[in-house]
Each structure stands twice: as C-alpha cells, then as structure tokens.
C-alpha cells in the first residue's frame, strides 16, 4: 500500500525529496553483485544489472518529469553531456585495453570479433551486436567475449539518448503543460506494459536474444520511471513498514541470483524479483535508523558506489585474459581474488588518469566534447584495424602438398613432406577464413531464401543445386572453382542451422520465428528440387544437428534418415541424382587453444580419435533408402585411419571447431571435383 510520507492515512501529500541518498548505495551493491557473481559464481546472473537499469530509469524519468511539470527547458544537450562524460571516458580506457589484449593475450582467432565488439561498445550498440553474432550470455571462458557485460550499458545509453527526445517531441506537439504531463505518464505506462508483454513472449520464444533486447529490457527502466512518479507525488510506504520493506527489498535483490537462472529467465517475469526489490528499497527511503537507509547512505557504501562502475567495466576483460593465459574454462576462488584485486587497481588507475579531463569538462559543451573524444579514442583504433584486416583478406595460396594432399595415398611425393613454416591460415585470421557470402546465405532472424549462381549463369553444360546449412556454404569457393572449370552452374543456398530435410522436422535451440523460417526455407528448396531445372542436387549439413525421434523403436539416426528421404523425394525424377557429402570432423571449441602450441601440434596432441570427431547421422541410411542417391565421403582426406587432427599438411582444418577453414576446403576442391564428375554425367 502506498500512502503519504509523513501523515496518517489521509489524502494530503508532501513534496518529493530532491535526492534519494539510498540510491547511491543501492547502485553500488547492484553492480558489485554482478562482479561477485561473475567471479565467484561461475558467471551466474545476479539480478544486479536489472536493479541497475531500474535505478537508471527512475533517475532519468524523475528529472525529466520535474522539468516537464515545471515547464522548464529539458536541457537535453546538458543531460547528454553529464551522462556520457561520466560513462564514456572510463569505458574508452577499458576498450583501448581490450584492443591491445586482442593482439597480445586473447585467442588470436577471436581478434576480429573482439574488434567488432570494441566498435559496437564504443557506439553503445553492443547488445545488438551480441544478438547479431548470436553470442550467448554465459559463464566466462577463453572463447567468451571480453565485452559481453557491456550490453547493459548499451541499453542504458540508448534509453538516455532516445527517451529525452521522446519527451521533447511531447513538448513540441502538446501545448498545455497539464496535457503534456498526462501524455508523458500515459505514454510511459503503455510503453512499459507493452515492453513487459514483449519480454514475456520473447523470453519464451528466444531467451538468448531477449536477454540483450532493448525493447524487452525497457520495462525495467520504465517501471523505475513509474515509481519516480510515485516519489514525485510525495508518496511512499507507511513509516511503520519502511524498515521491513527496505530490508526485504535488499534481501530479495541479493537472493534473486540464487533463486533464478537469470541468463535464461530474464528479462521475463522472473526479473520482477530483483526489480521489485529495488523498488521496495526506493519507496522505503528515509526509513529511520532501523531501516537500511543508514547502511545505504553510509560512507563505505558511497565509496563502493564510486568504484562499482569501474569494477564492473574492468573485471570481465581481466577475467577472460586470465582464463586465456591459464587455458582454463573456469576460475577458482584464488584466481577470483586476483581478478578482483586487479580490477580494483585498474579502476583506481583509470580514475587517476581521467581526473584532469573530467575536471575540465565542467560545462555542457566541454562535457559533450569529452564524451565524443572518448568514443573516438575507443572506436577509431579498432575500426582502423578492422578495415586494414578486410583489405588483406583473400584466399590463401597453399603449397602442392598442403592440406588434403598430404593425406592422399596417390600423392607419394607428399609422403615425406614436413611443414615447419607458419600455419595457414594464420591464427589471427582463423575465424575470418570463411567462404560464406551474403547473397548465398539466410542468417537467423531473416525469412529470406538466398540463392546465388556460381559459374556460368548462361550456356552451362550442367546445373546443380547445392543446399544445406553453414557446412554447405563453407564450400562456396570450391563450388565456384568446380563450376567455372567444367562449364557448370551451381546454385548455392544455405540457411543458418537449417538442413534440407522434411519441413516439419524440428529445429532445436531456435526461436519459434526462426523455426518457422527454416520450415519455409525447406519448402522453397523442395519447390526448386521439383522444378526439373537441375541435373543433380547436392546437399551437406552439420553432423552436430541432431534429430530426436519421438516414435518407439525408431532411433534418432533412423528418424534423421526418414526426414532426409522425405525431402529428397521432391526431385522431379529419379534420374536426377541426389548427392550427399559426409560432414567434416568436429572438435570441441576449447581445443582451438592447442593451435597456439606448435610443439603440441607437431606431437599430434591437437587431435581426436576418428570415432569421436566424425559423428554418425542418418545420411548413410537415407542414401541406401533412396534410388539414385550417392554419398561422397572425403573423411580420409581430413583424417588418418585413427585420428582427426586440427592441422593437416600445415593447414588448419577447422576455423571454430565445427566448420572447415576456407583454406582447407580449397585443398579438397580437386577431390570433390573428381567425385562430382563421376556422378554427374
């Protein structure tokens, strides 16, 4: 129940406090909880970020609503200057450090993605970059983004940028002050409710994307803003309830990280727990000596608030650096203390470094200038390095016995070949060594069917349809080389995480929208296969994608074979061959660290037993069940009879553990060409 601040139950109101001192301590606790859970809770989500966003919404809405109600200028430029001159400079120091660490400590194959994220973070769109890159928020490890924690700052910054403009639009359109105020609160209420409904739906459909989505997160800021309206009205909890409510709110905030797995349940309704705890603390402010007010306004908590932003910025990049150096997936408590101490030291050094410029930025123009300079300093080096890397990217020329040729029993000249030089591709180019092209590719989040023609578009001798998921599109350069050499046309179509099987076959781990898009893509491929325009249909896909049988007595591989056969039945005639390519070897992504140790490579330690790397699927059975279907198996050109190594003939086989490198795929071209020529006549 909300009643007046001081009076017994009546309709009188008191003026809202000009400042709620408890918020400083609450914000410090929230951000510190994030750090502590990350370091000592193996990356578990604490709910502290949700509290942080709620506080941000409360403070900005409170300030704007006061200006709106008093018919004062909104001072948008000065607000931006104050906010971003505080946020951007410390973040810029961290981003410059991450850029340097990307070339010195972090895994070299993550360099390009790290640089992309540095630029995205500097421009406050890191949350959208994480969604675009399909990077999941989770526990730390050598393969984890060192900037994933910046997503919340991007959401906050977007709110700080956009919401004042919305309020300015209200001022411009609505002439009456009273009408402006009513419009403001009505719009905030509707937007908050809509965001909560959206978050509920998206959290059920695609929790990975919902976690970072600004629209799904807005309700947390909006709810904080609505409580600011309660504070402006001079209302709060009864004095008799404040102590209990304040401590209950703090307890809820602290325990929420133990109650829920926030990485999968936030920002859905479960996030009401930390958000509600924060609102209870705010509404019970000035609660007297028995309430948490004394604690939250104490000097230690104010000091914690003053360093919490720096600790939040620094702890994660330092943690990822330590795990990378140690080659470990998790950190023990001693390592956590080292990271915490290092983050504290880095925070203090950052404050010392920025003391002069922040002191200089005392007026709106200077503060905006400081923020812009910080953004440029953070983004420009990473952007320039990305641009330079893009100009250097081209197919790697390999020696005659490199890659697959080193395993060719007919290449006796390669039998004693030794590779003492640099690996190809270089490790810093590993993740980028991908032949995929946008015109041939339908990413997650799209409902397109992208098909590209490789080779002779007109006057071709044969026309082939090549379809599959990303494992199909790593071969685009190979398809183009074969098509050009033989006067063929190869129409290539790939979709993320989507094999060409029966449209109704489930797609696991994707949102409802992406599953529907995959089904539609499969139907579009069926139509092409039925068209009679193709002399052969070629297909391949990841062996990691499993199909779980729901029928008793039918194994998963048998079910996989059934849905493959159902798709293959759509060709116009059995005279059109179906050609399936067995998938490449699969390695755990953490094995990539082995590639940094040349001695381990030479000793054969960067390898898996063949039986573990080459996964069984239902492809063999589907080929046996289908008339004029054929299997091409190039496994012996990627693995020895006993093991599959991540490096063959001086060429790195896999760029991420699951996909062939563009370079290694190129060494398979003559062998795939020979097999296709044998089957397509």
């Amino acid at each position: 129940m909300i009643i007046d601040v001081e009076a017994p139950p009546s309709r009188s109101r008191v003026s809202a406090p000009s400042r709620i001192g408890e918020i400083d301590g609450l914000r410090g606790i929230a951000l510190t909880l994030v750090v502590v859970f990350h370091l000592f809770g193996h990356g578990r989500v604490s709910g502290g970020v949700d509290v942080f966003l709620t506080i941000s919404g409360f403070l900005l809405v409170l300030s704007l609503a006061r200006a709106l109600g008093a018919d004062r200028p909104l001072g948008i430029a000065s607000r931006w200057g104050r906010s971003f001159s505080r946020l951007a400079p410390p973040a810029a120091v961290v981003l410059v450090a991450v850029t340097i660490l990307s070339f010195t400590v972090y895994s070299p194959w993550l360099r390009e993605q790290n640089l992309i994220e540095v630029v995205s973070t500097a421009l406050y769109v890191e949350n959208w970059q994480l969604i675009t890159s399909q990077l999941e928020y989770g526990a730390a490890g050598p393969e984890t983004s060192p900037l994933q924690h910046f997503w919340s700052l991007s959401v906050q910054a977007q709110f700080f940028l956009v919401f004042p403009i919305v309020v300015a639009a209200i001022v411009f359109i609505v002439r009456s002050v009273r009408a402006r105020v009513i419009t403001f609160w009505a719009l905030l209420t509707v937007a908050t409710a809509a965001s909560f409904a959206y978050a509920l739906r998206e959290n059920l459909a695609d929790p990975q994307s919902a976690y970072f989505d600004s629209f799904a997160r807005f309700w947390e800021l909006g709810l904080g803003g609505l409580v600011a309206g309660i504070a402006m009205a001079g209302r709060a909890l009864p004095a008799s309830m404040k102590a209990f409510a304040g401590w209950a709110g703090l307890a809820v905030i602290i325990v929420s990280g133990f109650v829920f797995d926030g990485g999968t349940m936030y920002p859905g309704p479960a996030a009401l727990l930390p958000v509600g705890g924060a609102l209870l603390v705010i509404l019970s402010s000035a609660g007297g000596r028995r309430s948490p007010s004394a604690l939250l306004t104490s000097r230690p908590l104010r000091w914690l608030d003053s360093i919490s932003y720096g600790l939040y910025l620094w702890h994660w990049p330092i943690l990822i650096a330590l795990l990378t150096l140690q080659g470990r997936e998790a950190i023990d408590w001693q390592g956590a203390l080292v990271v915490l101490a290092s983050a504290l030291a880095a925070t203090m050094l950052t404050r010392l470094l920025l003391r002069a410029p922040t002191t200089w930025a005392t007026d709106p123009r200077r503060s905006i200038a400081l923020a812009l300079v910080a953004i440029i300093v953070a983004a420009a080096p990473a952007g320039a390095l990305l641009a330079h890397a893009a100009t250097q990217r081209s197919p790697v020329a390999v020696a005659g016995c490199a890659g697959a040729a080193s395993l060719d029993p007919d290449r006796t000249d390669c039998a004693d070949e030794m590779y003492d030089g640099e690996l190809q591709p270089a490790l810093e180019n590993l993740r980028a060594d991908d032949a995929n092209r946008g015109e041939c590719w339908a990413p997650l989040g799209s409902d397109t069917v992208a098909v590209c023609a490789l080779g002779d578009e007109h006057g071709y001798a044969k026309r082939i349809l090549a379809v599959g998921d990303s494992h199909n599109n790593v071969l685009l350069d190979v398809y183009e080389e074969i098509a050009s050499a033989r006067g063929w046309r190869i129409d290539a179509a790939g979709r993320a995480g989507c094999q060409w099987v029966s449209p109704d076959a489930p797609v696991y781990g994707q949102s409802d929208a992406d599953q529907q898009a995959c089904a539609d893509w499969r139907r579009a491929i069926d139509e092409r296969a039925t068209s009679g325009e193709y002399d052969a249909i070629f297909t391949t896909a990841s062996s990691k994608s499993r199909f779980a049988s729901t029928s008793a007595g039918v194994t998963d591989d048998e079910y996989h074979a059934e849905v493959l056969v159902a798709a293959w039945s759509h060709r116009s005639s059995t005279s059109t061959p179906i050609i399936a390519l067995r998938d490449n070897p699969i390695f755990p992504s953490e094995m990539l660290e082995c590639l940094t140790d040349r001695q381990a490579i030479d000793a054969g330690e960067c390898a898996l037993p063949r039986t573990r790397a080459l996964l069984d699927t239902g492809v063999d059975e589907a080929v046996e069940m289908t008339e004029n279907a054929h299997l091409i198996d190039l496994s012996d050109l990627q693995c020895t009879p006993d093991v599959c190594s991540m490096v063959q003939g001086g060429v790195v086989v896999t760029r991420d553990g699951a996909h062939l490198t563009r370079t290694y795929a190129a060494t398979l071209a003559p062998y795939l060409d020979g097999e296709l020529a044998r089957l397509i006549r």
Side-chain angles (χ1 to χ4, degrees):
M1 180 176 68
I2 305 296
I3 66 169
D4 300 338
V5 172
E6 297 292 345
S10 73
R11 304 310 302 167
S12 63
R13 298 177 181 175
V14 299
S15 59
S18 59
R19 189 175 185 280
I20 298 177
E22 288 87 344
I23 282 180
D24 294 339
L26 181 60
R27 182 170 49 207
I29 289 174
L31 291 181
T32 304
L33 272 176
V34 177
V35 175
V36 170
F37 270 68
H38 279 170
L39 296 183
F40 298 95
H42 301 293
R44 190 175 177 87
V45 174
S46 66
V49 165
D50 305 84
V51 174
F52 165 74
L53 292 176
T54 303
I55 292 171
S56 297
F58 176 87
L59 293 174
L60 181 62
V61 170
L62 183 65
S63 178
L64 286 170
R66 281 172 169 165
L68 192 68
D71 198 21
R72 296 197 310 266
L74 297 177
I76 292 177
S78 61
R79 291 179 190 277
W80 286 343
R82 287 194 303 271
S83 297
F84 288 97
S85 64
R86 177 177 56 84
L87 295 173
V93 176
V94 176
L95 293 178
V96 170
V98 168
T99 299
I100 295 171
L101 288 170
S102 296
F103 285 85
T104 56
V105 174
Y106 296 144
S107 300
W109 47 87
L110 300 177
R111 184 174 301 159
E112 181 178 24
Q113 180 62 32
N114 286 346
L115 294 177
I116 290 172
E117 291 189 42
V118 167
V119 176
S120 300
T121 299
L123 299 178
Y124 295 102
V125 291
E126 169 67 352
N127 61 319
W128 297 113
Q129 170 56 224
L130 292 169
I131 291 174
T132 301
S133 304
Q134 291 128 40
L135 298 179
E136 185 175 358
Y137 191 90
E143 299 295 306
T144 308
S145 165
L147 294 173
Q148 70 170 15
H149 64 310
F150 270 88
W151 72 267
S152 60
L153 301 178
S154 294
V155 171
Q156 181 199 39
Q158 291 159 26
F159 180 67
F160 284 176
L161 282 168
V162 174
F163 195 73
I165 296 176
V166 173
V167 179
I170 293 174
V171 172
F172 180 78
I173 295 171
V174 182
R175 312 315 298 177
S176 163
V177 173
R178 177 177 174 79
R180 287 174 184 171
V181 172
I182 294 173
T183 302
F184 172 85
W185 291 112
L187 183 62
L188 180 61
T189 301
V190 171
T192 301
S195 171
F196 184 81
Y198 174 75
L200 174 61
R201 187 190 71 183
E202 289 301 298
N203 189 250
L204 292 172
D206 189 1
Q208 179 176 321
S209 294
Y211 190 88
F212 302 116
D213 193 325
S214 299
F215 299 106
R217 287 285 178 176
F218 174 79
W219 72 266
E220 298 180 327
L221 296 130
L223 202 56
L226 292 175
V227 169
I230 296 175
M232 282 188 64
R235 295 182 177 273
L237 292 169
S240 60
M241 292 179 59
K242 280 189 174 184
F244 173 79
W247 287 115
L250 272 182
V252 164
I253 291 170
I254 293 171
V255 304
S256 60
F258 298 98
V259 174
F260 291 124
D261 179 9
T264 58
M265 300 187 70
Y266 296 168
L272 284 168
L273 194 63
V275 169
L279 298 179
L280 276 177
V281 173
I282 292 172
L283 289 171
S284 61
S285 61
R289 59 187 180 86
R290 293 185 178 180
S291 76
S293 296
L295 171 66
L296 294 173
T297 57
S298 65
R299 181 174 296 179
L301 265 293
R302 291 199 304 270
W303 178 80
L304 183 63
D305 176 52
S306 71
I307 65 165
S308 61
Y309 179 54
L311 287 178
Y312 182 81
L313 295 181
W314 277 110
H315 81 284
W316 194 258
I318 293 173
L319 173 58
I320 302 304
L322 181 62
L323 290 175
T324 303
L325 289 171
Q326 294 179 337
R328 297 171 60 185
E329 291 296 314
I331 195 170
D332 55 24
W333 68 268
Q334 296 98 327
L337 289 176
V338 170
V339 173
L340 185 60
S342 301
L344 179 58
T347 298
M348 295 305 182
L349 287 173
T350 302
R351 294 176 66 179
L352 182 63
L353 177 66
L354 297 176
R355 181 176 297 169
T358 52
T359 301
W360 171 81
T362 54
D363 59 62
R365 289 185 178 181
R366 289 185 176 183
S367 59
I368 291 175
L370 177 60
L372 291 175
V373 168
I375 291 171
I376 292 170
V377 167
L385 289 166
L386 277 172
H388 176 72
T391 62
Q392 303 298 308
R393 193 172 301 144
S394 60
V396 179
V398 294
C401 288
S406 67
L407 296 173
D408 185 351
D410 296 329
R411 292 292 303 273
T412 55
D413 56 317
C414 297
D416 298 322
E417 188 80 16
M418 299 296 293
Y419 293 90
D420 298 325
E422 295 294 325
L423 297 178
Q424 298 182 64
L427 294 185
E428 60 268 21
N429 299 325
L430 192 59
R431 284 293 174 89
D433 198 48
D434 183 10
N436 203 356
R437 311 175 190 179
E439 62 270 23
C440 316
W441 181 241
L444 290 178
S446 75
D447 54 6
T448 59
V449 180
V451 184
C452 60
L454 305 172
D456 298 331
E457 290 196 46
H458 307 284
Y460 44 80
K462 299 288 184 182
R463 187 177 182 187
I464 297 97
L465 178 63
V467 298
D469 58 14
S470 55
H471 288 226
N472 175 69
N473 282 38
V474 299
L475 298 169
L476 291 180
D477 287 352
V478 177
Y479 296 157
E480 188 165 47
E481 180 181 340
I482 293 172
S484 299
R486 294 195 174 272
W488 293 353
R489 169 176 169 172
I490 298 180
D491 292 347
R495 179 171 180 83
C498 187
Q499 296 189 26
W500 181 40
V501 295
S502 176
D504 58 354
V507 184
Y508 302 103
Q510 292 188 13
S511 68
D512 293 342
D514 283 327
Q515 291 194 52
Q516 183 59 51
C518 178
D520 293 341
W521 180 88
R522 290 167 174 168
R523 293 187 183 96
I525 300 302
D526 287 346
E527 292 178 7
R528 282 184 169 266
T530 310
S531 68
E533 298 177 352
Y534 294 100
D535 297 288
I537 303 173
F538 181 88
T539 184
T540 188
S542 171
S543 56
K544 290 179 67 176
S545 298
R546 312 307 291 177
F547 292 86
S549 172
T550 57
S551 301
V554 178
T555 67
D556 291 351
D557 286 353
E558 289 172 341
Y559 175 62
H560 188 190
E562 289 177 6
V563 295
L564 282 171
V565 170
W568 295 355
S569 67
H570 286 90
R571 55 185 166 164
S572 58
S573 169
T574 56
S575 63
T576 302
I578 296 287
I579 304 172
L581 175 67
R582 188 182 299 283
D583 191 30
N584 54 259
I586 303 294
F587 303 90
S589 60
E590 57 267 22
M591 279 188 66
L592 291 171
E593 290 295 331
C594 188
L595 296 175
T596 61
D597 186 346
R598 189 54 185 262
Q599 289 183 337
I601 295 173
D602 294 340
E605 296 174 4
C606 301
L608 285 179
R610 182 176 174 126
T611 53
R612 284 184 56 195
L614 296 175
L615 307 180
D616 291 330
T617 65
V619 174
D620 298 74
E621 291 85 349
V623 168
E624 292 178 2
M625 295 163 61
T626 305
E627 183 179 355
N628 198 14
H630 311 272
L631 180 68
I632 295 178
D633 188 350
L634 302 180
S635 301
D636 288 345
L637 294 165
Q638 301 167 70
C639 305
T640 69
D642 299 318
V643 300
C644 295
S645 174
M646 299 177 74
V647 178
Q648 298 285 7
V651 180
V652 181
V653 174
T654 178
R655 64 183 177 87
D656 57 5
H659 300 84
L660 290 175
T661 61
R662 183 187 195 184
T663 306
Y664 200 87
T667 71
L668 291 169
Y671 305 99
L672 182 59
D673 173 57
E675 290 293 301
L676 290 175
R678 178 177 61 86
L679 297 170
I680 302 173
R681 300 183 184 276

